[in-house]
Amino acid sequence: HVQLVESGGGSVHSGGSLRLACQASGNTYSYNCMGWVRQRPDSEREGIAAIYTGGGTTYYADSVKGRFTISQERAKNILYLQMNGLKLEDAATYYCAADRPPFGNWDEADVYNYWGQGTQVTVS
């Protein structure tokens, strides 16, 4: 089993920055990909960034590319999401997720079986 715990959410003004963190524990060999999935009000969950933990390859949704950076401290099993240039539409609950998704499907929330509890990001 895998446990994921997010931290770092909060409230910022438009244009501001936040860094989210996700501490993984348990059987970390259960996954080879970790992602950040967000859910905006009245919307479905959407994958916005992912990293394949072995080689460090990263992927981004077009909506965050160039503004958000996903990274990891592999030795400590920590995942990060640096969010710069936050926009009103980035306000959402952000979840850390992990699994072994089919190649190319990292952005689909359904491919992840391990989830954190979520952390709220508010942009005003």
Side-chain angles (χ1 to χ4, degrees):
H1 196 61
V2 175
Q3 296 81 42
L4 303 173
V5 179
E6 302 101 335
S7 60
S11 298
V12 294
H13 292 301
S14 181
S17 298
L18 280 175
R19 188 175 80 156
L20 307 183
C22 172
Q23 176 70 63
S25 60
N27 187 4
T28 56
Y29 292 101
S30 298
Y31 58 85
N32 66 350
C33 178
M34 297 187 77
W36 289 98
V37 178
R38 70 183 180 189
Q39 187 166 24
R40 292 179 280 194
D42 300 321
S43 297
E44 295 183 352
R45 292 187 180 186
E46 57 171 333
I48 57 166
I51 185 167
Y52 279 83
T53 55
T57 303
T58 58
Y59 298 89
Y60 297 94
D62 288 343
S63 58
V64 304
K65 197 173 295 183
R67 299 187 297 123
F68 291 10
T69 303
I70 189 171
S71 62
Q72 63 176 345
E73 276 191 72
R74 194 175 174 200
K76 296 182 179 180
N77 296 318
I78 301 175
L79 180 73
Y80 297 103
L81 184 69
Q82 177 66 44
M83 305 187 292
N84 298 329
L86 282 161
K87 304 177 180 179
L88 295 177
E89 54 264 40
D90 293 319
T93 301
Y94 284 72
Y95 298 89
C96 172
D99 214 310
R100 292 180 173 271
F103 183 74
N105 291 74
W106 65 267
D107 56 341
E108 298 179 18
D110 290 347
V111 303
Y112 297 101
N113 284 302
Y114 305 113
W115 291 84
Q117 81 284 359
T119 186
Q120 186 70 36
V121 172
T122 302
V123 184
S124 60

